[in-house]
Amino acid sequence: KENPKIIGIGETGLDFYYNNSDKKSQLDSFKIHIEASIKSNVPLIIHSRDAEDETFDVLNEYKNNELKILMHCFTGSKKFSEKLLNFNTFFSASGIITFKNAIELQNTFKSLPMDRILIETDSPFLAPVPNRGKKNEPSFIEFTAKKLAEIKGIEKSELSKITTKNFNNLFFD
């Protein structure tokens, strides 16, 4: 890595929800970013929306490259998360896990190993309950952390220690 200030490549990935750009362009760009991550030996920060199979298929092409991955604002299925664990993947929870209709996502995070979870704001988007619908801000992370700690059955202070350690393991080890 030539510049120590560069700690990750991304946000990159595939988003087929709105179809704002064609799939081939997204796939080509995603592969360029994966290769940059491998070359620079820094983690890849991935966005995947309505593209679980395609995201997995592309990552699988690079399975022998010791990727380090952060699934940003993870909302994928439990099955997808289980497949991604084979790629040294971390999963970041956003305010979405506080939404009452996010039961499946909450169960997915409940099943993830403690040493693979992170937490994020995704500010200015996805404000957690009780601020849902407002412009998200960093101070709202408290609500997301409280919910994730509840899901994992631990104290919020313990969750904070674990997610901080996980962040450092991902980006600085």
Side-chain angles (χ1 to χ4, degrees):
K1 158 168 111 169
E2 293 178 22
N3 186 330
K5 290 183 178 183
I6 297 173
I7 65 167
I9 302 290
E11 173 183 344
T12 187
L14 304 173
D15 190 327
F16 300 149
Y17 184 76
Y18 290 113
N19 289 316
N20 286 334
S21 61
D22 70 274
K23 287 184 179 185
K24 184 181 180 331
S25 295
Q26 288 190 48
L27 288 161
D28 291 345
S29 178
F30 188 31
K31 290 176 183 181
I32 289 167
H33 288 121
I34 293 170
E35 290 163 14
S37 169
I38 293 166
K39 183 177 178 186
S40 58
N41 194 32
V42 295
L44 186 67
I45 303 158
I46 299 176
H47 170 104
S48 179
R49 188 171 185 196
D50 284 4
E52 287 187 5
D53 292 339
E54 296 89 343
T55 299
F56 179 79
D57 290 346
V58 171
L59 290 173
N60 205 36
E61 293 175 30
Y62 297 90
K63 67 182 173 194
N64 297 324
N65 290 280
E66 296 183 34
L67 295 169
K68 287 176 89 174
I69 296 169
L70 171 58
M71 292 304 295
H72 151 75
C73 193
F74 187 71
T75 57
S77 68
K78 185 175 178 186
K79 181 180 174 189
F80 186 41
S81 72
E82 290 168 350
K83 288 165 56 174
L84 290 172
L85 282 169
N86 295 320
F87 293 114
N88 193 23
T89 303
F90 291 72
F91 301 84
S92 189
S94 70
I96 294 172
I97 64 162
T98 67
F99 300 175
K100 67 181 177 195
N101 64 347
I103 304 302
E104 186 177 328
L105 182 62
Q106 293 167 5
N107 288 333
T108 297
F109 269 92
K110 186 173 188 168
S111 74
L112 288 170
M114 288 298 293
D115 66 346
R116 295 292 167 181
I117 60 169
L118 293 171
I119 192 166
E120 68 176 272
T121 62
D122 200 35
S123 181
F125 309 108
L126 304 173
V129 172
N131 296 303
R132 187 170 180 182
K134 295 180 181 175
K135 182 179 177 185
N136 202 356
E137 60 181 62
S139 69
F140 294 171
I141 197 80
E142 291 295 319
F143 301 105
T144 305
K146 180 181 176 193
K147 184 64 177 183
L148 186 56
E150 176 189 308
I151 290 165
K152 297 303 277 181
I154 61 174
E155 295 294 321
K156 189 173 70 148
S157 60
E158 183 67 14
L159 177 85
S160 295
K161 288 177 194 168
I162 290 167
T163 56
T164 298
K165 182 180 181 203
N166 292 347
F167 177 86
N168 288 322
N169 287 343
L170 175 61
F171 288 102
F172 300 111
D173 275 358

